[in-house]
């Protein structure tokens, strides 16, 4: 079993950009949201600049990179499909982490991870290019233990466990079985030498149990529910609420407190 580790909160600001794009007024500001979240204690910012520009756009990616240069301890995580538009952003910005997601251009939202061995050969050189640029690579993966070693074999540093199936089971009799599935996948990832991230549909209800149950969890990236909560609580109180959830989960897991 891995030694207890603290889990970082990366706030995904996609949905701030989505609302902004419904008018030509520049509000709500993505930069204002990111700055407020960092000031409140978020450990990083995540964006997913999809090819259709529905929310995060190239100017957001560049402006957030400039902001994060003022926050050297915070991480910048850029998500996307490396066979589409992601690599141009990685070359331009060199974020802390690139999260490869196998989404199609018109996909409603992310809903599956990579598959091995099918995806191995096209990912391997793209991962190598990120490493040559000094960028860590996380692969968006379904929680399948047998897929973790193949993910490591193509050069990934981390996996991001796709957590929608867990979120959908939250509050049902299948909840604990899902948690065991994610714990097994995380353990297999750790055994393979991978770091473990997680994300998609995590929220204030389901987060603490997930953090408590999944060994070695280094980062959660949370956007849709976070922005929804921030509409009611404000950014600062929303960050504090999510960090408190994570602290409860880590205390139960025997880890420290959120970094
Ligand atoms: C990869 C993932 O699960 C999310 O980070 C993704 O960014 C969600 O995309 P939308 O915000 O476009 O639904
Ligand atoms: N990688 C997951 C992420 O960044 C945000 O997903 P969601 O919380 O918007 O579902």
């Amino acid at each position: 079993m891995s030694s207890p580790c603290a889990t970082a909160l990366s706030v995904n600001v996609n949905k701030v950009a989505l609302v902004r794009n419904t008018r030509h007024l520049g509000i709500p500001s993505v930069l204002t949201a990111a700055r407020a979240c960092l000031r409140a204690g978020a450990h990083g910012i995540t964006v997913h600049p999809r090819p259709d520009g529905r929310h995060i756009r190239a100017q957001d990616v560049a402006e957030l990179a400039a902001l994060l240069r003022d926050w050297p301890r915070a991480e910048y995580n850029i998500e996307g499909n490396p066979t589409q538009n992601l690599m141009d952003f990685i070359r331009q910005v060199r974020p802390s982490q690139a999260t490869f997601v196998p989404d199609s251009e018109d996909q409603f939202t992310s809903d599956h991870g990579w598959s091995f061995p099918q995806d191995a050969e096209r990912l391997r050189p793209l991962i190598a290019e990120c490493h040559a640029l000094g960028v860590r690579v996380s692969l968006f993966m379904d929680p399948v233990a047998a897929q973790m070693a193949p993910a490591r074999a193509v050069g990934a540093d981390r996996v991001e466990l796709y957590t929608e199936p867990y979120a959908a089971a939250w509050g049902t009799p299948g909840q604990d079985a899902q948690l065991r599935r994610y714990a097994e996948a995380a353990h297999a990832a750790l055994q393979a030498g991978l770091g473990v991230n997680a994300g998609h549909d995590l929220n204030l209800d389901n987060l603490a149990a997930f953090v408590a149950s999944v060994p070695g969890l280094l980062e959660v990236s949370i956007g849709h529910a976070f922005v929804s909560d921030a509409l009611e609580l404000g950014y600062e109180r929303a960050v504090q609420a999510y960090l408190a959830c994570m602290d409860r989960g880590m205390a139960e897991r025997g880890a420290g407190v959120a970094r």
Side-chain angles (χ1 to χ4, degrees):
M1 177 67 79
S2 67
S3 60
C5 68
T7 305
L9 172 64
S10 185
V11 174
N12 181 313
V13 290
N14 290 354
K15 300 302 164 55
V16 178
L18 189 70
V19 174
R20 180 209 51 207
N21 293 348
T22 56
R23 289 286 174 88
H24 302 296
L25 299 174
I27 56 173
S29 161
V30 169
L31 273 184
T32 299
R35 190 179 295 114
C37 290
L38 292 168
R39 283 175 176 162
H43 306 107
I45 298 296
T46 290
V47 292
H48 191 146
R50 294 183 179 274
D52 63 9
R54 69 186 74 168
H55 40 55
I56 293 291
R57 294 171 174 166
Q59 183 176 343
D60 298 312
V61 174
E63 289 179 350
L64 287 167
L67 171 68
L68 282 154
R69 283 194 280 273
D70 294 336
W71 292 84
R73 292 187 63 202
E75 290 214 336
Y76 194 15
N77 176 39
I78 304 181
E79 301 183 328
N81 189 323
T83 67
Q84 294 168 3
N85 63 336
L86 177 65
M87 294 307 293
D88 287 340
F89 291 117
I90 303 305
R91 294 169 188 132
Q92 290 162 14
V93 168
R94 301 186 187 208
S96 319
Q97 176 174 266
T99 297
F100 288 6
V101 187
D103 284 3
S104 62
E105 295 210 3
D106 59 358
Q107 194 155 321
F108 178 67
T109 188
S110 308
D111 62 8
H112 67 282
W114 298 99
S115 294
F116 296 106
Q118 302 89 314
D119 295 325
E121 289 322 307
R122 60 185 173 137
L123 291 181
R124 193 185 307 275
L126 297 167
I127 294 170
E129 181 179 355
C130 286
H131 287 163
L133 293 168
V135 177
R136 176 197 318 138
V137 175
S138 178
L139 296 182
F140 195 63
M141 299 292 290
D142 298 305
V144 177
Q147 287 280 297
M148 299 300 128
R152 181 64 179 153
V154 294
D157 304 290
R158 297 191 186 181
V159 290
E160 177 181 341
L161 299 179
Y162 168 52
T163 47
E164 191 278 339
Y166 160 68
W170 176 257
T172 75
Q175 174 185 311
D176 290 345
Q178 283 292 340
L179 280 172
R180 287 193 296 273
R181 182 180 175 219
Y182 283 86
E184 289 166 9
H187 184 69
L190 295 170
Q191 292 288 92
L194 289 160
V196 179
N197 294 348
H200 205 96
D201 285 344
L202 293 174
N203 60 39
L204 288 175
D205 295 326
N206 62 33
L207 181 57
F210 189 84
V211 172
S213 304
V214 176
L217 186 61
L218 293 171
E219 174 192 285
V220 290
S221 43
I222 306 175
H224 190 88
F226 176 88
V227 173
S228 304
D229 290 322
L231 287 174
E232 296 176 21
L233 299 171
Y235 294 122
E236 180 177 7
R237 287 177 58 207
V239 168
Q240 290 166 349
Y242 276 85
L243 291 177
C245 271
M246 293 165 64
D247 287 348
R248 287 200 305 276
M250 284 184 280
E252 189 174 334
R253 190 176 84 213
V257 293
R259 285 188 289 113

